[in-house]
Amino acid sequence: MHAALADGLDELPPDIQKAYQGLDQNQPVGPSPLKDFKPKKGPPWTIGFASSYAGNTWRAASMDKLMNDLLPAAQKAGLVKDVIVTQSDLKDSVQIQQMRQLVDQGADAIFICCSNVTALNQTIKYAYDKGVPVFSYSGYVTAPEAISASANYVDGGYQIAKGIFEKIKGKGNVLLVSGIAGLASSDSFDKGVMRALAESPDIKLVGTVQGQWTDQVAQVEVQKFLATHPGQLDAIVVQSPAENGVLQAMLQSGRPMVPISISGEAGAVCYWRKNPNWVDAGNYVWPPEAEVYIVWNMMLRTLEGQGPKIQSVIRPVLKFTYDDVKASMPEDCSIDDPKWFEPKAEAWFPKSMADAMVTRPADPFTWKPAN
C-alpha cells in the first residue's frame, strides 16, 4: 500500500481500499486535482478518444460498446454531442499530436487507452491547463492531473499465474506470453507473474514472448518458441487478448495440450467449454466492454462536477468458473470466435462503487445541470 500517498485512499470505503493492495507502486493514488473541476460549458459535450491502437479483438469489443451503447445513451440523455476518435498506431508522438489537436479543436474531455505511463504527461498537463480533463483506462498514466480507471493488474498477473501453477501442482516449465512492453497494464501484469514465480520454487519460466495483445502475433511468437524449444512445456500464462492465438499455436503444434490462462476471449473460453478439465478458472482482468464503461462513467461524473476523490479508480480482478461458462456459452460454440466472454458492465463497476469514488454522487444519466 502507498503509505506516503494515502490521502486519496483514505476517502474510500475500506472494502474498496482492498483492491489497491499490491498495486503497481508507480500508479498514482493521491487526491484527484479534478475534485472541484467544472467544465468550460454545459452539456452536450464533445469527447475525444485518443486511441493508441485498433488491431485486436479487445479494441473491437471496446469500440463496439462505446459507439453502439455508451455514446447513443449519453446522446439520448443530452449529455454528449459526439465522440471524435483518433488512432496513433502505438506511436507516442502521434498520440501527443492528436491529443493536442483535440484540445485545440474544442473537446470538453479526452480519454485514452493502454498508453505509455509517462510519455503523455506533458500533453495531459496541457489539456488540464486548458480546462480539458484526461481519463485513462486499461492502464494508468503518472500525470497527476489525469484519472486512471482499471483493475489491479499486478494482482491480475499474480492471480492468473498462481492459478495456472496450482493447476500443474506447483511444478513444471511455463511460458509467459506478455503484452506490449512499456505499457502500464502489460508491465504491471508481468510484475504480478514474477511475484507468483518467486513463491513457486519448482516452477521454471522457460521463456517470455511478446504477444502484443494480438492473437495473430501471439500465435506466431508461440509457434517460433515451440519450434526452437523442443523440451517439455507444462503450461502457458497469457496476457489477454492473445489466448485464442496461443491456443491455435498449441493445437497446430502436435504437442499435448497444456493449461493456458484465459481472461475472456470467447474462442479459448469455448475450448474450455468443450474440455472442462483444461483449466480450473478464468479471470476477468480487463474485460473490454466493462473497462470502457468505467472510464466513460467516471468521465461523465467528472464533467457533471461530481468530484472524483482519487487519481486512480481501481477494482479487483474477478474470477469466473466452468459453471459460469456452461451457463452462458452454448456447447456448439466455436474456438475461432473473436468475441469476448465478459461480465455485464454494471457488475464490473456497480453504481455503489462509482458513487463511492466521487464526492457528490449522482446518477450520471439523470443528472441535470444547475440553472
Side-chain angles (χ1 to χ4, degrees), residues 24-236:
D24 193 313
Q25 62 182 9
N26 297 315
Q27 182 152 3
V29 292
S32 169
L34 296 170
K35 201 173 204 176
D36 297 312
F37 173 81
K38 291 183 176 59
K40 292 177 289 186
K41 61 180 178 61
W45 295 296
T46 297
I47 308 299
F49 176 26
S51 175
S52 56
Y53 181 58
N56 63 25
T57 62
W58 190 97
R59 302 290 183 134
S62 191
M63 185 66 81
D64 181 65
K65 175 72 173 176
L66 172 65
M67 302 309 282
N68 295 316
D69 182 4
L70 299 178
L71 174 58
Q75 287 174 326
K76 187 178 178 184
L79 295 172
V80 174
K81 182 181 176 185
D82 200 8
V83 171
I84 302 167
V85 181
T86 62
Q87 298 288 358
S88 61
D89 199 25
L90 298 174
K91 297 181 179 70
D92 293 336
S93 60
V94 174
Q95 193 173 14
I96 287 166
Q97 182 184 16
Q98 289 170 339
M99 287 173 69
R100 284 180 171 259
Q101 284 175 344
L102 287 167
V103 172
D104 296 342
Q105 288 167 7
D108 295 293
I110 295 171
F111 68 104
I112 59 178
C113 169
C114 331
S115 303
N116 184 293
V117 295
T118 57
L120 308 179
N121 286 4
Q122 283 185 309
T123 309
I124 292 167
K125 172 96 169 51
Y126 174 81
Y128 176 81
D129 288 345
K130 290 186 175 284
V132 181
V134 176
F135 303 80
S136 174
Y137 81 106
S138 198
Y140 67 89
V141 288
T142 52
E145 301 84 5
I147 298 285
S148 299
S150 69
N152 183 333
Y153 296 130
V154 177
D155 189 53
Y158 176 76
Q159 296 293 347
I160 282 176
K162 198 174 172 197
I164 288 291
F165 298 167
E166 287 171 357
K167 180 66 179 174
I168 59 173
K169 308 287 192 292
K171 188 170 187 178
N173 296 333
V174 175
L175 171 67
L176 171 61
V177 180
S178 187
I180 300 176
L183 301 190
S185 48
S186 180
D187 291 354
S188 296
F189 182 100
D190 287 356
K191 285 176 185 175
V193 174
M194 295 307 147
R195 189 178 130 215
L197 274 168
E199 296 175 5
S200 311
D202 294 325
I203 297 287
K204 184 181 179 189
L205 185 65
V206 292
T208 301
V209 299
Q210 298 294 320
Q212 302 284 313
W213 291 330
T214 305
D215 287 304
Q216 296 90 331
V217 175
Q219 182 173 343
V220 169
E221 291 304 313
V222 171
Q223 284 170 332
K224 280 193 220 165
F225 177 86
L226 295 173
T228 53
H229 296 78
Q232 181 167 326
L233 183 65
D234 299 292
I236 305 176

